[in-house]
């Protein structure tokens, strides 16, 4: 025989009363502790492009807008919106505009299919990250581009595509300098450079020339001719010895010193240094 226990009416009333009291307490606390959001938040959020690319360092535009209101970040961190958005946000916040120099993505590799050698035929997932996990990648050069499009997939603006040569190409008109491709590249081949600089290095290999040439015919051979050419440019400026150096067998440009003259480009026997004819203020 099953005994059924029926709660008394007084117990039900007591439990209900306690629930009502807690409800009133929570509602009152919510009203008292409510923090009114700064009306500028909505204006800043509306000014931002809304693509949530994360280039500002925040999870999305809402997070960036919130930090702007709190005063914990700079107002010029949105490369997608550029100077126009920065100016608008500064007007909203009532401060002087802080214009950042626009940046563009540059591919630091010219190791196309015809210029590089492979160790094996890769038939796995179409991902540079995945391919790199198998014996260090299918290319002999462990620093070279694998060309499987991780950078393409990471770009929310469709600014990168893979050419028939197997190398990525950046459309500067579409590139916003968000840096997603930089983070996506497992070999660190893509960098962000101020769009005004035309000079950049088309190699990422940090091995001695004899070793490098076993896998790539177009890499930097660390001949240092670029250094000599750069020194001649600065002979009349004792404060600057050279704007280019060879570090770990790879030419490296110091953009704080570079005047975009292109002399290093003309002298490089490997055509490792590229020069897009643009102008900058010096």
């Amino acid at each position: 025989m099953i005994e059924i226990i029926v709660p008394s009416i007084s117990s039900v009333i007591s439990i209900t009363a306690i629930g009502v009291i807690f409800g009133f307490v929570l509602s009152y606390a919510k009203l008292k502790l409510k923090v009114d959001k700064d009306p500028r938040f909505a204006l800043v959020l509306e000014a931002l492009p809304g693509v949530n690319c994360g280039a500002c360092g925040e999870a999305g535009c809402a997070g960036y807008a919130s930090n702007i209101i709190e005063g914990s970040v700079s107002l010029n961190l949105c490369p997608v919106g550029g100077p126009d958005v920065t100016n608008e946000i500064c007007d909203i916040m009532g401060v002087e505009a802080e214009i950042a120099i626009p940046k563009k993505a540059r591919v630091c590799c010219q190791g196309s299919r015809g210029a590089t050698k492979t160790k094996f035929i890769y038939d796995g997932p179409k991902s540079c990250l995945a391919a790199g996990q198998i014996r260090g990648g299918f290319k002999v050069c462990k620093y070279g581009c694998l060309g499987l499009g991780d950078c393409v997939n990471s770009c929310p603006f469709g600014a990168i595509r893979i050419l028939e040569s197997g190398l990525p190409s950046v459309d500067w008109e579409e590139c916003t300098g968000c840096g997603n491709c930089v983070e996506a590249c497992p070999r660190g081949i893509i960098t962000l450079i101020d769009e005004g600089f035309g000079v950049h290095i088309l190699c990422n290999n940090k091995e001695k020339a004899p070793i490098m040439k076993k896998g790539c015919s177009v890499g930097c051979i660390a001949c240092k001719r670029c250094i000599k050419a750069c020194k001649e440019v600065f002979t009349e400026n004792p404060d600057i010895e050279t704007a280019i150096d060879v570090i770990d067998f790879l030419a490296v440009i110091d953009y704080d010193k570079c005047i975009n003259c292109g002399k290093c480009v003309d002298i490089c026997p490997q055509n490792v240094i590229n020069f897009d004819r643009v102008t900058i203020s010096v």
Side-chain angles (χ1 to χ4, degrees):
M1 182 175 179
I2 300 175
E3 181 179 0
I4 300 175
I5 301 176
V6 179
S8 64
I9 296 177
S10 60
S11 298
V12 173
I13 294 175
S14 298
I15 293 173
T16 302
I18 292 173
V20 171
I21 293 172
F22 270 112
F24 277 118
V25 171
L26 291 175
S27 298
Y28 178 77
K30 182 178 180 180
L31 290 174
K32 293 297 290 183
L33 299 176
K34 179 182 178 182
V35 177
D36 294 327
K37 188 173 286 288
D38 192 314
R40 296 176 299 176
F41 171 81
L43 297 176
V44 172
L45 185 59
E46 184 179 357
L48 292 169
V51 295
N52 297 313
C53 64
C56 59
E58 304 300 329
C61 293
Y64 182 40
S66 179
N67 286 338
I68 286 176
I69 299 302
E70 292 176 2
S72 60
V73 295
S74 297
L75 309 187
N76 60 357
L77 300 182
C78 179
V80 180
D84 291 339
V85 167
T86 298
N87 283 327
E88 187 173 352
I89 292 175
C90 287
D91 287 341
I92 295 170
M93 299 301 294
V95 298
E96 188 175 348
E98 306 173 4
I99 305 301
I101 299 175
K103 296 181 180 293
K104 299 294 182 182
R106 313 284 182 104
V107 179
C108 302
C109 180
Q110 59 179 348
S112 61
R113 292 191 180 100
T116 56
K117 297 178 182 179
T118 57
K119 295 184 287 188
F120 59 90
I121 297 176
Y122 175 72
D123 194 29
K126 194 174 182 181
S127 163
C128 300
L129 182 61
Q133 303 302 313
I134 302 176
R135 294 171 54 192
F138 54 86
K139 284 192 174 183
V140 174
C141 176
K142 64 181 180 181
Y143 298 94
C145 176
L146 295 173
L148 295 178
D150 289 22
C151 54
V152 175
N153 297 331
S154 72
C155 181
F157 309 101
I160 308 179
R161 63 190 180 95
I162 301 295
L163 302 177
E164 291 184 4
S165 65
L167 293 175
S169 175
V170 179
D171 184 340
W172 276 23
E173 293 297 325
E174 299 297 329
C175 179
T176 63
C178 70
N180 284 357
C181 57
V182 177
E183 294 185 11
C185 180
R187 296 199 165 188
I189 288 169
I190 305 178
T191 61
L192 289 180
I193 301 175
D194 292 352
E195 68 174 5
F197 282 104
V199 183
H200 62 287
I201 309 298
L202 294 176
C203 184
N204 189 49
N205 195 297
K206 300 176 180 64
E207 297 174 311
K208 293 182 179 180
I211 300 176
M212 179 273 297
K213 282 188 170 292
K214 290 181 180 180
C216 178
S217 62
V218 292
C220 178
I221 58 175
C223 66
K224 299 186 178 181
R225 295 184 188 180
C226 53
I227 297 177
K228 182 179 178 181
C230 190
K231 283 183 177 180
E232 292 176 354
V233 174
F234 292 112
T235 52
E236 297 181 359
N237 189 341
D239 295 330
I240 302 177
E241 182 178 357
T242 177
I244 193 167
D245 198 359
V246 171
I247 303 174
D248 293 332
F249 311 105
L250 178 65
V252 178
I253 297 173
D254 184 342
Y255 287 101
D256 289 332
K257 299 176 181 177
C258 179
I259 60 172
N260 218 42
C261 68
K263 296 296 183 181
C264 55
V265 179
D266 298 333
I267 202 68
C268 180
Q270 290 287 98
N271 295 317
V272 167
I273 311 176
N274 190 43
F275 188 40
D276 298 304
R277 300 277 173 181
V278 294
T279 57
I280 60 172
S281 299
V282 294

